Amino acid sequence: QAQLEESGGGSVQAGGSLRLSCAASGRTYNCMGWFRRAPGKERERVASINSGGIRSYADSVKGRFTISKDNAKNTLYLQMNSLEPEDTAMYYCAAHSNYYGCVVRDTLYDYWGQGTQVTVSS
């Protein structure tokens, strides 16, 4: 059974860094990504990586966040640098094995982790 488990969230001051991890198990995924939901806002895709290693990012995090995947460990990462208070949110790891590869729409991802909180103070 597919399972995703995030870790690495926490509290940090603006300008700081955090690295999120997502341990994946159960199956092979065509796309894995990170989403976030801030209070009062809709869930949004932050970054994704497909099975070929092609990455994509939300404009708001380009140049600051880096998504990567260790296939040997079956683990997805999100390195977050130059964090801003606007990055405060619950962050979720998501994945799917469908034919369409990486997409922005969260409803097209079948598997989700439980989430990890990231809080950035000014």
Side-chain angles (χ1 to χ4, degrees):
Q1 185 168 348
Q3 188 171 357
L4 304 175
E5 186 170 355
E6 304 98 335
S7 61
S11 297
V12 66
Q13 288 193 324
S17 298
L18 284 173
R19 188 175 82 155
L20 305 183
S21 299
C22 172
S25 62
R27 62 185 301 146
T28 302
Y29 305 103
N30 279 350
C31 178
M32 297 187 73
W34 291 96
F35 287 74
R36 67 185 181 187
R37 188 196 299 271
K41 294 187 178 181
E42 293 186 354
R43 187 164 57 188
E44 63 172 350
R45 193 217 48 176
V46 175
S48 56
I49 184 168
N50 69 10
S51 56
I54 296 174
R55 300 166 172 83
S56 57
Y57 297 92
D59 288 343
S60 59
V61 306
K62 279 181 183 175
R64 300 188 298 122
F65 291 11
T66 302
I67 189 170
S68 62
K69 189 169 56 166
D70 185 330
N71 290 323
K73 295 182 179 179
N74 223 12
T75 301
L76 182 73
Y77 301 100
L78 185 68
Q79 178 66 43
M80 304 186 293
N81 298 329
S82 302
L83 282 161
E84 303 169 352
E86 293 74 24
D87 296 316
T88 295
M90 185 70 79
Y91 283 71
Y92 299 89
C93 175
H96 71 75
S97 302
N98 300 311
Y99 68 92
Y100 42 75
C102 286
V103 294
V104 173
R105 212 165 117 196
D106 59 348
T107 54
L108 296 178
Y109 288 76
D110 298 315
Y111 309 107
W112 291 85
Q114 81 286 354
T116 185
Q117 177 69 36
V118 171
T119 302
V120 184
S121 59
S122 57

